[in-house]
Amino acid sequence: MKKLMLIGLSITAGFLFTFFILNKKNIYAKEEYMIFAFQVGAFEKYDNAIDFSEKLPSSIIIKEGKLYKIYVALYNDIDIVNKMIVYFENNNINIYLRSIKVGKEFYTNLVNYEQIINSSKDVNVYNQVNQSILNLYIESINND
């Protein structure tokens, strides 16, 4: 009888320990969201990335591995993504559309900015909001 109680107690303790560890792990898990990044270039030399980015109305340079990548837009809303693809094609800007992971805070702000874009037809508003999104992304990766 003592052996059965000891086995039962061991199983219960193991279950509780496992449950605690798994829940503790989720506390530290970082929420990430996938968004679309409009990349226009990737360079090994920073100076080359700077020279290229200066020809664009708005852009940021992000170091990823050994490359300096130039992004001109970051969006989640598929309707805006499709409109932007057409916009860049019409302006002869070759883009590479890729998915990137972002944190919850940036994602939430991005969704709010997208609402501004969706409610406006003014190109100047788009340009200002787009630059704000790019700047916010720089801040978010510098804070990680």
Side-chain angles (χ1 to χ4, degrees), residues 2-14:
K2 275 187 166 181
K3 282 187 177 182
L4 286 177
M5 283 180 38
L6 187 58
I7 291 172
L9 184 61
S10 296
I11 291 172
T12 303

Side-chain angles (χ1 to χ4, degrees), residues 88-102:
F88 288 120
E89 285 176 354
N90 290 342
N91 287 287
N92 296 318
I93 299 173
N94 295 323
I95 59 161
Y96 171 65
L97 194 61
R98 46 186 309 233
S99 294
I100 61 171
K101 291 180 185 178
V102 296

Side-chain angles (χ1 to χ4, degrees), residues 4 47 50-51 54 65 74-75 77 97 99 103 107 116 137:
L4 286 177
D47 290 341
I50 290 283
D51 290 343
E54 288 175 348
L74 303 163
Y75 290 107
D77 184 300
L97 194 61
S99 294
Y107 180 81
I116 295 169
Y137 181 69

Side-chain angles (χ1 to χ4, degrees), residues 6-132:
L6 187 58
I7 291 172
L9 184 61
S10 296
I11 291 172
T12 303
F15 174 76
L16 290 173
F17 180 74
T18 302
F19 182 76
F20 175 75
I21 293 297
L22 290 177
N23 280 338
K24 192 77 163 172
K25 184 179 178 184
N26 288 339
I27 289 172
Y28 299 109
K30 182 179 177 184
E31 283 188 69
E32 293 183 321
Y33 299 83
M34 297 300 289
I35 65 166
F36 295 98
F38 291 76
Q39 181 181 324
V40 294
F43 299 89
E44 290 181 359
K45 294 183 180 177
Y46 183 71
D47 290 341
N48 293 345
I50 290 283
D51 290 343
F52 188 84
S53 70
E54 288 175 348
K55 299 172 188 168
L56 302 165
S58 60
S59 64
I60 56 173
I61 300 171
I62 304 296
K63 183 162 192 214
E64 292 181 11
K66 295 181 178 181
L67 295 176
Y68 296 95
K69 296 183 179 181
I70 302 172
Y71 294 146
V72 291
L74 303 163
Y75 290 107
N76 174 63
D77 184 300
I78 195 66
D79 291 331
I80 294 175
V81 169
N82 287 329
K83 288 176 188 175
M84 294 311 302
I85 290 171
V86 171
Y87 170 82
F88 288 120
E89 285 176 354
N90 290 342
N91 287 287
N92 296 318
I93 299 173
N94 295 323
I95 59 161
Y96 171 65
L97 194 61
R98 46 186 309 233
S99 294
I100 61 171
K101 291 180 185 178
V102 296
K104 183 178 182 177
E105 185 177 348
F106 175 80
Y107 180 81
T108 301
N109 288 322
L110 176 62
V111 169
N112 291 333
Y113 278 123
E114 288 177 330
Q115 290 174 354
I116 295 169
I117 289 173
N118 279 328
S119 65
S120 177
K121 302 220 185 278
D122 186 351
V123 175
N124 293 324
V125 170
Y126 154 72
N127 287 331
Q128 291 172 348
V129 171
N130 188 59
Q131 189 60 55
S132 294

